[in-house]
Amino acid sequence: MDRRSFLGLLSVALLAPGGIRKAAASGSRQPLTICVSLDTQRLVVFSGVDEIASSPISSGKAGHATPTGIFSILDKRTFHRSNIYSNAPMPHMQRLTWSGIALHASNHVPGYPASHGCVRMPDGFARDLFAMTQLQAHVIITRESISPQSIRHRTLPDALSPYDRLMAGNLELRLDTLDPHADGVEVASAGQMNATANDAGSVEPRSPLRLFLTRRTHRELTRDAQQLLNTLGFDAGAADGFAGPRTTDALRRFQREAGLTPSGSLSKADIDGLYEAAGKGDVPAGHLYARRDFTPIFDMPVHLKAPERPLGAHLATVSAITAGRATWSGLTLTDRPAPSVAGLTALDPETALTATQVDLASTLDRLQLTPSVAERLSRELTVGSSLAISDNGLGTETGKGTDFIVLTRRG
Protein backbone atom coordinates (compact mmCIF):
# COMPACT_ATOMS: atom_id res chain seq x y z
CA MET A 1 0.00 0.00 0.00
CA ASP A 2 1.46 3.39 -0.97
CA ARG A 3 1.60 6.34 1.44
CA ARG A 4 -1.31 8.18 -0.20
CA SER A 5 -3.62 5.15 0.09
CA PHE A 6 -2.56 4.63 3.71
CA LEU A 7 -3.26 8.24 4.63
CA GLY A 8 -6.62 8.04 2.88
CA LEU A 9 -7.66 5.04 4.96
CA LEU A 10 -6.24 6.63 8.10
CA SER A 11 -8.24 9.83 7.57
CA VAL A 12 -11.46 7.83 7.14
CA ALA A 13 -10.77 6.02 10.40
CA LEU A 14 -9.84 9.13 12.34
CA LEU A 15 -12.66 11.29 11.07
CA ALA A 16 -15.20 8.62 12.00
CA PRO A 17 -16.88 8.73 15.45
CA GLY A 18 -14.33 7.84 18.10
CA GLY A 19 -11.50 8.43 15.66
CA ILE A 20 -9.66 10.91 17.86
CA ARG A 21 -9.52 8.38 20.67
CA LYS A 22 -7.98 5.84 18.27
CA ALA A 23 -5.35 8.35 17.22
CA ALA A 24 -4.50 9.09 20.84
CA ALA A 25 -4.09 5.42 21.59
CA SER A 26 -1.78 4.96 18.62
CA GLY A 27 0.86 7.11 20.35
CA SER A 28 1.65 9.28 17.32
CA ARG A 29 5.02 10.89 17.89
CA GLN A 30 4.30 14.00 15.83
CA PRO A 31 3.04 17.02 17.80
CA LEU A 32 -0.54 18.10 17.35
CA THR A 33 -1.54 21.49 15.98
CA ILE A 34 -5.16 22.57 16.39
CA CYS A 35 -6.36 25.13 13.81
CA VAL A 36 -9.61 27.02 14.39
CA SER A 37 -11.23 29.03 11.59
CA LEU A 38 -13.73 31.66 12.70
CA ASP A 39 -15.00 32.20 9.14
CA THR A 40 -15.90 28.54 8.61
CA GLN A 41 -16.68 27.84 12.31
CA ARG A 42 -14.55 24.72 12.14
CA LEU A 43 -11.69 23.18 14.13
CA VAL A 44 -9.14 20.91 12.43
CA VAL A 45 -6.54 18.76 14.21
CA PHE A 46 -3.19 18.11 12.48
CA SER A 47 -0.53 15.58 13.37
CA GLY A 48 2.52 17.18 11.78
CA VAL A 49 1.06 18.31 8.44
CA ASP A 50 -1.58 15.55 8.19
CA GLU A 51 -5.22 16.32 9.04
CA ILE A 52 -6.55 13.69 11.43
CA ALA A 53 -9.85 15.09 12.71
CA SER A 54 -12.23 18.02 12.46
CA SER A 55 -15.36 19.38 14.10
CA PRO A 56 -17.83 22.25 13.91
CA ILE A 57 -17.38 24.89 16.61
CA SER A 58 -19.07 28.02 17.91
CA SER A 59 -16.82 30.99 18.63
CA GLY A 60 -17.51 34.33 20.29
CA LYS A 61 -20.60 36.26 19.28
CA ALA A 62 -20.77 40.02 18.64
CA GLY A 63 -19.36 41.91 21.61
CA HIS A 64 -17.44 38.84 22.80
CA ALA A 65 -15.16 38.14 19.85
CA THR A 66 -12.76 35.22 20.07
CA PRO A 67 -9.20 36.58 19.76
CA THR A 68 -7.06 35.43 16.84
CA GLY A 69 -3.44 34.38 17.05
CA ILE A 70 -1.06 31.70 18.29
CA PHE A 71 -1.96 30.04 21.59
CA SER A 72 -1.07 26.86 23.46
CA ILE A 73 -2.90 24.74 26.00
CA LEU A 74 -2.07 26.11 29.45
CA ASP A 75 -4.36 24.04 31.66
CA LYS A 76 -6.81 21.14 31.33
CA ARG A 77 -9.82 20.35 33.54
CA THR A 78 -12.27 17.52 32.99
CA PHE A 79 -14.95 19.68 34.54
CA HIS A 80 -14.65 23.40 35.07
CA ARG A 81 -17.04 26.24 35.81
CA SER A 82 -16.56 29.75 34.50
CA ASN A 83 -15.54 32.28 37.14
CA ILE A 84 -16.60 35.07 34.76
CA TYR A 85 -19.99 34.00 33.41
CA SER A 86 -22.33 32.92 36.23
CA ASN A 87 -20.51 29.70 37.08
CA ALA A 88 -21.38 28.30 33.64
CA PRO A 89 -20.23 24.70 33.09
CA MET A 90 -17.22 24.18 30.79
CA PRO A 91 -16.67 20.38 30.50
CA HIS A 92 -13.36 19.13 29.08
CA MET A 93 -11.93 22.62 29.32
CA GLN A 94 -8.55 23.34 27.71
CA ARG A 95 -7.36 26.82 28.64
CA LEU A 96 -5.70 29.08 26.05
CA THR A 97 -5.33 32.30 28.08
CA TRP A 98 -5.48 33.15 31.76
CA SER A 99 -7.93 35.94 30.88
CA GLY A 100 -10.67 33.43 30.12
CA ILE A 101 -10.40 31.97 26.58
CA ALA A 102 -10.61 28.18 26.30
CA LEU A 103 -11.68 25.21 24.20
CA HIS A 104 -14.53 23.32 25.89
CA ALA A 105 -17.54 21.09 25.37
CA SER A 106 -21.04 22.46 25.02
CA ASN A 107 -24.51 21.15 24.22
CA HIS A 108 -25.10 24.28 22.11
CA VAL A 109 -22.84 24.36 19.05
CA PRO A 110 -25.11 25.80 16.34
CA GLY A 111 -22.31 26.32 13.78
CA TYR A 112 -22.29 30.10 14.13
CA PRO A 113 -20.73 32.44 16.75
CA ALA A 114 -22.64 31.95 20.00
CA SER A 115 -20.17 31.93 22.88
CA HIS A 116 -18.72 34.60 25.17
CA GLY A 117 -15.31 34.24 23.49
CA CYS A 118 -14.44 30.59 24.05
CA VAL A 119 -14.38 27.93 21.33
CA ARG A 120 -17.27 25.54 21.92
CA MET A 121 -17.19 21.95 20.59
CA PRO A 122 -19.73 19.12 20.62
CA ASP A 123 -19.51 16.99 23.77
CA GLY A 124 -18.16 13.81 22.18
CA PHE A 125 -15.51 15.56 20.13
CA ALA A 126 -14.40 17.71 23.06
CA ARG A 127 -14.04 14.62 25.26
CA ASP A 128 -11.93 12.79 22.67
CA LEU A 129 -9.76 15.83 21.91
CA PHE A 130 -9.19 16.32 25.64
CA ALA A 131 -7.89 12.74 25.89
CA MET A 132 -5.53 13.27 22.98
CA THR A 133 -3.84 16.58 23.77
CA GLN A 134 -1.08 17.50 26.17
CA LEU A 135 -0.22 20.81 27.79
CA GLN A 136 1.60 23.21 25.45
CA ALA A 137 -0.04 21.83 22.28
CA HIS A 138 -0.40 24.75 19.88
CA VAL A 139 -3.84 26.14 19.04
CA ILE A 140 -4.03 28.57 16.10
CA ILE A 141 -7.11 30.77 15.75
CA THR A 142 -7.60 32.67 12.48
CA ARG A 143 -10.42 34.13 10.44
CA GLU A 144 -9.60 32.08 7.35
CA SER A 145 -8.77 28.37 7.15
CA ILE A 146 -5.04 27.60 7.32
CA SER A 147 -2.98 24.43 7.71
CA PRO A 148 0.65 23.64 8.54
CA GLN A 149 2.95 22.90 5.60
CA SER A 150 6.38 21.26 5.50
CA ILE A 151 9.21 23.77 5.40
CA ARG A 152 12.98 23.48 5.20
CA HIS A 153 15.12 26.58 5.60
CA ARG A 154 18.78 27.09 6.41
CA THR A 155 17.89 29.41 9.33
CA LEU A 156 15.80 26.76 11.10
CA PRO A 157 18.24 24.78 13.26
CA ASP A 158 18.68 21.04 13.16
CA ALA A 159 18.98 19.11 16.41
CA LEU A 160 22.00 17.47 17.97
CA SER A 161 21.74 13.77 18.73
CA PRO A 162 21.59 12.79 22.44
CA TYR A 163 25.25 11.73 22.20
CA ASP A 164 26.31 15.07 20.68
CA ARG A 165 24.33 16.97 23.33
CA LEU A 166 26.11 15.03 26.03
CA MET A 167 29.53 15.66 24.45
CA ALA A 168 28.70 19.37 24.13
CA GLY A 169 28.24 19.39 27.90
CA ASN A 170 26.88 22.23 29.95
CA LEU A 171 28.15 25.21 27.97
CA GLU A 172 25.65 27.73 29.31
CA LEU A 173 26.91 30.53 31.54
CA ARG A 174 24.64 32.59 33.73
CA LEU A 175 24.93 36.26 32.89
CA ASP A 176 24.56 38.68 35.77
CA THR A 177 24.06 41.83 33.68
CA LEU A 178 21.44 42.81 31.15
CA ASP A 179 24.02 43.36 28.42
CA PRO A 180 22.16 43.77 25.11
CA HIS A 181 25.33 42.96 23.20
CA ALA A 182 26.01 39.55 24.72
CA ASP A 183 24.83 36.31 23.11
CA GLY A 184 22.01 35.95 25.60
CA VAL A 185 20.58 36.97 28.91
CA GLU A 186 19.96 34.05 31.23
CA VAL A 187 16.86 34.23 33.36
CA ALA A 188 17.01 30.65 34.62
CA SER A 189 19.81 28.42 35.84
CA ALA A 190 21.86 26.49 33.33
CA GLY A 191 20.58 23.28 34.80
CA GLN A 192 17.12 24.04 33.48
CA MET A 193 18.53 24.33 29.98
CA ASN A 194 20.23 20.95 29.69
CA ALA A 195 19.15 17.34 29.83
CA THR A 196 20.37 15.06 32.60
CA ALA A 197 22.45 12.29 31.05
CA ASN A 198 23.40 8.95 32.59
CA ASP A 199 25.49 7.91 29.59
CA ALA A 200 25.94 8.82 25.93
CA GLY A 201 22.87 6.86 24.89
CA SER A 202 20.52 7.94 27.67
CA VAL A 203 19.31 11.51 27.93
CA GLU A 204 16.37 12.50 30.09
CA PRO A 205 13.45 13.65 27.90
CA ARG A 206 12.95 17.39 27.85
CA SER A 207 9.92 19.55 27.21
CA PRO A 208 9.79 21.46 23.93
CA LEU A 209 11.78 24.67 23.60
CA ARG A 210 9.53 27.60 22.76
CA LEU A 211 11.13 30.50 20.85
CA PHE A 212 9.68 33.88 19.99
CA LEU A 213 11.20 36.28 17.46
CA THR A 214 9.94 39.84 17.57
CA ARG A 215 11.03 43.43 17.24
CA ARG A 216 12.91 45.15 20.01
CA THR A 217 10.08 47.32 21.23
CA HIS A 218 10.11 50.22 23.68
CA ARG A 219 11.03 48.25 26.80
CA GLU A 220 13.98 46.41 25.21
CA LEU A 221 15.30 49.60 23.65
CA THR A 222 14.90 51.49 26.94
CA ARG A 223 16.84 48.73 28.64
CA ASP A 224 19.53 49.11 25.95
CA ALA A 225 19.64 52.85 26.53
CA GLN A 226 20.03 52.41 30.30
CA GLN A 227 22.82 49.87 29.86
CA LEU A 228 24.66 52.10 27.39
CA LEU A 229 24.15 55.27 29.45
CA ASN A 230 25.70 53.45 32.42
CA THR A 231 28.58 52.23 30.25
CA LEU A 232 29.20 55.81 29.10
CA GLY A 233 29.19 57.11 32.69
CA PHE A 234 25.77 58.80 32.81
CA ASP A 235 24.35 56.70 35.69
CA ALA A 236 20.87 55.77 34.46
CA GLY A 237 20.22 53.35 37.33
CA ALA A 238 19.09 49.76 36.95
CA ALA A 239 18.74 48.52 33.36
CA ASP A 240 15.14 47.37 33.85
CA GLY A 241 13.43 48.83 30.76
CA PHE A 242 11.45 51.44 32.73
CA ALA A 243 12.48 55.07 32.35
CA GLY A 244 12.21 56.66 35.80
CA PRO A 245 13.58 60.09 36.87
CA ARG A 246 17.15 58.79 37.12
CA THR A 247 17.09 57.43 33.57
CA THR A 248 15.41 60.57 32.25
CA ASP A 249 18.06 62.81 33.85
CA ALA A 250 20.90 60.65 32.49
CA LEU A 251 19.38 60.73 29.02
CA ARG A 252 19.08 64.55 29.11
CA ARG A 253 22.75 64.85 30.00
CA PHE A 254 23.71 62.54 27.14
CA GLN A 255 21.47 64.44 24.70
CA ARG A 256 23.13 67.75 25.61
CA GLU A 257 26.61 66.33 25.12
CA ALA A 258 25.61 64.72 21.79
CA GLY A 259 24.02 67.90 20.46
CA LEU A 260 20.53 66.39 20.53
CA THR A 261 17.37 68.02 21.88
CA PRO A 262 17.54 67.46 25.69
CA SER A 263 13.97 66.21 26.00
CA GLY A 264 14.65 63.31 28.36
CA SER A 265 12.39 61.20 26.14
CA LEU A 266 13.92 58.34 24.18
CA SER A 267 13.79 58.55 20.38
CA LYS A 268 15.29 56.46 17.59
CA ALA A 269 17.97 59.15 17.11
CA ASP A 270 18.95 58.77 20.78
CA ILE A 271 19.22 54.97 20.46
CA ASP A 272 21.36 55.32 17.33
CA GLY A 273 23.51 57.95 19.05
CA LEU A 274 24.06 55.79 22.14
CA TYR A 275 25.12 52.79 20.06
CA GLU A 276 27.51 54.94 18.06
CA ALA A 277 29.00 56.62 21.16
CA ALA A 278 29.57 53.22 22.78
CA GLY A 279 31.10 51.75 19.62
CA LYS A 280 28.50 49.01 19.44
CA GLY A 281 27.68 49.20 15.72
CA ASP A 282 24.17 48.91 14.34
CA VAL A 283 21.18 48.71 16.67
CA PRO A 284 19.77 45.14 16.71
CA ALA A 285 16.25 45.29 15.30
CA GLY A 286 15.08 41.91 16.58
CA HIS A 287 14.86 40.07 19.88
CA LEU A 288 14.73 36.32 20.48
CA TYR A 289 13.06 34.96 23.64
CA ALA A 290 13.05 31.36 24.88
CA ARG A 291 10.82 29.50 27.32
CA ARG A 292 10.49 25.92 28.49
CA ASP A 293 7.59 24.58 30.55
CA PHE A 294 6.04 28.08 30.58
CA THR A 295 9.20 29.50 32.21
CA PRO A 296 11.55 32.10 30.62
CA ILE A 297 15.08 30.71 30.22
CA PHE A 298 16.95 33.27 28.12
CA ASP A 299 16.56 36.14 25.69
CA MET A 300 18.93 37.92 23.33
CA PRO A 301 19.02 40.68 20.72
CA VAL A 302 19.38 39.56 17.09
CA HIS A 303 20.03 41.42 13.88
CA LEU A 304 17.54 41.51 11.01
CA LYS A 305 18.19 42.27 7.38
CA ALA A 306 15.85 44.95 5.95
CA PRO A 307 14.55 45.89 9.44
CA GLU A 308 12.14 48.40 7.92
CA ARG A 309 9.99 45.54 6.55
CA PRO A 310 7.38 43.78 8.72
CA LEU A 311 8.16 40.30 10.02
CA GLY A 312 4.58 39.07 9.80
CA ALA A 313 3.05 36.45 12.09
CA HIS A 314 4.18 32.83 11.77
CA LEU A 315 4.65 29.57 13.64
CA ALA A 316 7.26 26.93 12.77
CA THR A 317 7.24 23.63 14.70
CA VAL A 318 9.59 20.65 14.87
CA SER A 319 7.41 17.69 13.90
CA ALA A 320 10.15 15.04 13.94
CA ILE A 321 13.88 14.56 14.51
CA THR A 322 15.71 11.81 12.64
CA ALA A 323 19.47 11.27 12.94
CA GLY A 324 19.93 14.83 14.14
CA ARG A 325 17.88 16.35 11.31
CA ALA A 326 14.80 18.29 12.33
CA THR A 327 11.66 18.18 10.22
CA TRP A 328 9.79 21.48 10.47
CA SER A 329 6.25 22.51 9.57
CA GLY A 330 5.14 26.11 9.30
CA LEU A 331 2.10 28.32 8.90
CA THR A 332 1.47 32.03 8.37
CA LEU A 333 -1.30 34.14 9.91
CA THR A 334 -2.81 37.38 8.68
CA ASP A 335 -1.53 40.19 10.90
CA ARG A 336 -0.56 43.85 10.95
CA PRO A 337 2.04 45.64 13.12
CA ALA A 338 0.57 47.85 15.83
CA PRO A 339 1.09 51.59 15.18
CA SER A 340 3.02 51.91 18.44
CA VAL A 341 5.70 49.50 17.20
CA ALA A 342 6.97 51.87 14.51
CA GLY A 343 7.95 54.53 17.08
CA LEU A 344 11.47 53.61 18.20
CA THR A 345 12.09 50.79 15.72
CA ALA A 346 13.30 50.76 12.14
CA LEU A 347 9.88 49.59 10.90
CA ASP A 348 8.61 51.77 8.06
CA PRO A 349 5.23 53.21 9.14
CA GLU A 350 3.83 53.20 5.59
CA THR A 351 4.65 49.53 5.10
CA ALA A 352 3.29 48.68 8.53
CA LEU A 353 -0.09 50.18 7.63
CA THR A 354 -0.55 48.09 4.48
CA ALA A 355 1.14 44.72 5.10
CA THR A 356 -1.13 42.00 6.48
CA GLN A 357 0.64 38.83 5.37
CA VAL A 358 4.35 38.15 4.94
CA ASP A 359 5.91 34.96 3.60
CA LEU A 360 7.57 32.82 6.30
CA ALA A 361 10.58 31.87 4.17
CA SER A 362 11.33 35.52 3.33
CA THR A 363 11.17 36.41 7.04
CA LEU A 364 13.57 33.58 7.90
CA ASP A 365 15.90 34.85 5.14
CA ARG A 366 16.27 38.08 7.12
CA LEU A 367 17.10 36.55 10.52
CA GLN A 368 20.82 36.67 11.31
CA LEU A 369 21.90 34.22 14.02
CA THR A 370 25.50 34.02 15.16
CA PRO A 371 27.08 30.52 14.95
CA SER A 372 27.13 30.26 18.76
CA VAL A 373 23.41 31.04 19.01
CA ALA A 374 22.53 28.58 16.22
CA GLU A 375 24.58 25.87 17.96
CA ARG A 376 22.92 26.63 21.28
CA LEU A 377 19.46 26.26 19.76
CA SER A 378 20.45 22.96 18.13
CA ARG A 379 21.46 21.59 21.53
CA GLU A 380 18.10 22.54 23.03
CA LEU A 381 15.80 21.44 20.19
CA THR A 382 13.31 18.60 20.74
CA VAL A 383 10.21 17.34 18.92
CA GLY A 384 7.46 19.90 19.51
CA SER A 385 9.88 22.82 19.83
CA SER A 386 8.60 25.87 17.98
CA LEU A 387 9.42 29.36 16.77
CA ALA A 388 6.67 31.99 16.85
CA ILE A 389 7.21 35.29 15.02
CA SER A 390 5.45 38.64 15.36
CA ASP A 391 6.28 42.34 14.98
CA ASN A 392 4.35 43.33 18.07
CA GLY A 393 6.55 42.29 20.99
CA LEU A 394 5.55 40.40 24.12
CA GLY A 395 1.81 40.93 24.47
CA THR A 396 -0.18 41.27 27.66
CA GLU A 397 -1.36 37.63 27.51
CA THR A 398 2.21 36.32 27.66
CA GLY A 399 3.19 36.06 31.31
CA LYS A 400 3.58 33.70 34.22
CA GLY A 401 2.43 30.20 33.33
CA THR A 402 2.21 30.71 29.55
CA ASP A 403 4.08 30.01 26.37
CA PHE A 404 4.38 32.91 23.94
CA ILE A 405 0.85 34.05 23.13
CA VAL A 406 0.76 36.01 19.87
CA LEU A 407 -2.41 38.05 19.30
CA THR A 408 -2.96 39.04 15.67
CA ARG A 409 -4.77 42.06 14.31
CA ARG A 410 -6.21 43.17 10.97
CA GLY A 411 -6.58 46.92 11.45
Side-chain angles (χ1 to χ4, degrees), residues 17-320:
I20 292 187
R21 195 177 293 116
K22 294 174 188 176
S26 72
S28 172
R29 298 178 65 183
Q30 292 198 329
L32 298 183
T33 302
I34 300 167
C35 293
V36 177
S37 166
L38 302 183
D39 285 346
T40 63
Q41 291 290 286
R42 197 149 194 88
L43 178 153
V44 181
V45 184
F46 293 88
S47 175
V49 298
D50 297 321
E51 179 180 337
I52 62 170
S54 65
S55 171
I57 58 102
S58 280
S59 61
K61 59 189 176 182
H64 299 277
T66 300
T68 56
I70 301 169
F71 306 86
S72 58
I73 297 172
L74 309 179
D75 185 31
K76 297 177 63 172
R77 302 291 174 92
T78 303
F79 189 80
H80 177 72
R81 286 189 177 274
S82 172
N83 57 5
I84 300 175
Y85 296 109
S86 304
N87 215 29
M90 299 168 64
H92 296 103
M93 184 276 294
Q94 304 193 63
R95 184 183 297 279
L96 305 183
T97 73
W98 291 110
S99 62
I101 304 301
L103 309 174
H104 66 83
S106 174
N107 58 10
H108 181 60
V109 185
Y112 55 81
S115 79
H116 284 93
C118 287
V119 175
R120 294 179 181 173
M121 301 170 287
D123 288 336
F125 185 91
R127 180 184 63 248
D128 290 348
L129 183 64
F130 187 93
M132 189 178 186
T133 58
Q134 296 180 338
L135 292 182
Q136 300 184 59
H138 281 301
V139 179
I140 314 301
I141 303 178
T142 54
R143 297 297 320 177
E144 65 277 17
S145 296
I146 64 172
S147 59
Q149 305 293 322
S150 295
I151 181 171
R152 182 145 190 90
H153 194 281
R154 63 185 180 276
T155 303
L156 294 172
D158 278 320
L160 297 183
S161 68
Y163 179 84
D164 290 334
R165 284 207 307 271
L166 178 64
M167 292 301 98
N170 183 1
L171 300 181
E172 311 302 334
L173 298 177
R174 186 177 180 102
L175 304 181
D176 294 322
T177 61
L178 294 174
D179 182 356
H181 317 293
D183 269 348
V185 176
E186 297 284 358
V187 292
S189 67
Q192 291 175 282
M193 296 282 293
N194 293 279
T196 300
N198 296 321
D199 54 55
S202 176
V203 177
E204 185 177 296
R206 297 173 302 168
S207 300
L209 181 68
R210 293 295 159 86
L211 301 169
F212 179 48
L213 172 66
T214 188
R215 290 188 175 275
R216 310 200 75 222
T217 52
H218 193 278
R219 183 173 179 185
E220 290 80 26
L221 291 169
T222 299
R223 190 174 70 179
D224 275 15
Q226 292 167 323
Q227 178 73 35
L228 294 171
L229 285 166
N230 288 336
T231 299
L232 295 168
F234 288 97
D235 189 16
D240 57 6
F242 297 99
R246 194 167 170 183
T247 297
T248 300
D249 181 62
L251 181 58
R252 271 201 199 92
R253 285 183 279 120
F254 167 77
Q255 289 168 332
R256 288 193 191 96
E257 283 197 15
L260 300 167
T261 302
S263 64
S265 297
L266 194 62
S267 69
K268 186 176 183 304
D270 299 321
I271 291 289
D272 292 340
L274 283 164
Y275 266 78
E276 183 178 356
K280 296 295 185 181
D282 294 334
V283 181
H287 207 87
L288 186 66
Y289 294 88
R291 290 187 171 207
R292 177 171 279 134
D293 291 325
F294 304 144
T295 302
I297 52 177
F298 69 87
D299 67 89
M300 63 185 70
V302 293
H303 286 277
L304 301 172
K305 298 176 185 176
E308 71 281 358
R309 290 165 44 199
L311 296 171
H314 316 274
L315 179 69
T317 304
V318 179
S319 54

